[in-house]
Structure formats: C-alpha cells, structure tokens
Amino acid sequence: QEAVVESGGGSVQPGGSLRLSCIISGIHYRVYYMAWFRQAPGKEREGVAAITSDASATYADSVKGRFTVSQDNAKNTLYLQMNSLQPEDTAMYYCAVGLSDWVKGKLLLQTAVYTFWGQGTQVTVSS
C-alpha cells in the first residue's frame, strides 16, 4: 500500500523557519520527481518546490531564496526548509510523488503530473 506522509508543520511568527518532511513508502514504481504544494483557504493548490531524481530543483517565484527542497533517497524522504516565513505562506502543505519520465521545468509545479499525494501538514504564520 502506497503511503505519503508529511510532518513538521506548525505555527511560527513572521520571519521564522520550519522544516517539513515527507516519507514515502510502498511505491513500487520508479519515482522521477517529488514536490511540495500548498493550498490556502479559498485558493487553488499551487506548486511550491519540486525536485527530480537527479536533484534538479524548481521553485515558485514566491518562495525563491527562502525555501529549499531536498531529498534523502536512502530514507525515501523529501524535505522543505522554509525560512523568512511570511503570513502569505500560511497554508496546508502537501507532498506529491510523480512517475513520468518526461516532466521537466515548470511542469514540475503542476498538480496534474503527480500520482500520489499526502494528507497535508498545516503551516500557520502569524504574529
């Protein structure tokens, strides 16, 4: 049974940091890329950061320079280090796993190219 489980969310003040983790298991296909998405109340789910199996990263413009995506293949874990958090970063953050070998660049931030999703972890930034 496939499982994608996020953790690390919480409440922080503006300017603070959080590190999200995502552990994947039970996926018996080759994983070509993984990503973090977020969805705020009343808004569409948006791609935040993605990373391919060869460690090439893609970021949304809104998080460039503040967020860093990384992976530990030995632990089947995806990370998102979030620094300089702002109230507009408040959202449910989701981890996603993609299986297609042709997806590159900005396509990596599109929900349609992902097959497996986690249940999300809440990030709240407020003073």
Side-chain angles (χ1 to χ4, degrees):
Q1 182 72 29
E2 301 89 0
V4 179
V5 181
E6 305 96 335
S7 63
S11 296
V12 296
Q13 294 186 340
S17 297
L18 281 175
R19 188 193 195 204
L20 305 184
S21 298
C22 170
I23 299 176
I24 67 170
S25 61
I27 296 177
H28 301 294
Y29 306 95
R30 179 174 175 179
V31 175
Y32 283 90
Y33 46 91
M34 294 185 287
W36 290 96
F37 288 76
R38 66 187 181 187
Q39 187 167 19
K43 295 188 176 182
E44 292 188 356
R45 190 170 297 190
E46 63 172 353
V48 174
I51 189 167
T52 62
S53 56
D54 61 357
S56 176
T58 300
Y59 296 93
D61 290 342
S62 59
V63 306
K64 278 181 183 176
R66 300 188 299 125
F67 290 11
T68 302
V69 62
S70 62
Q71 60 191 354
D72 185 332
N73 293 327
K75 296 181 179 179
N76 292 330
T77 303
L78 180 72
Y79 302 100
L80 185 67
Q81 178 66 43
M82 305 186 293
N83 299 327
S84 302
L85 283 161
Q86 300 301 319
E88 52 266 34
D89 295 315
T90 296
M92 185 72 77
Y93 282 70
Y94 298 90
C95 176
V97 178
L99 308 179
S100 303
D101 62 358
W102 51 268
V103 177
K104 302 182 189 298
K106 288 297 186 183
L107 276 179
L108 291 164
L109 298 180
Q110 300 297 316
T111 58
V113 301
Y114 288 88
T115 303
F116 298 107
W117 292 83
Q119 294 299 307
T121 185
Q122 178 67 38
V123 171
T124 302
V125 185
S126 70
S127 54

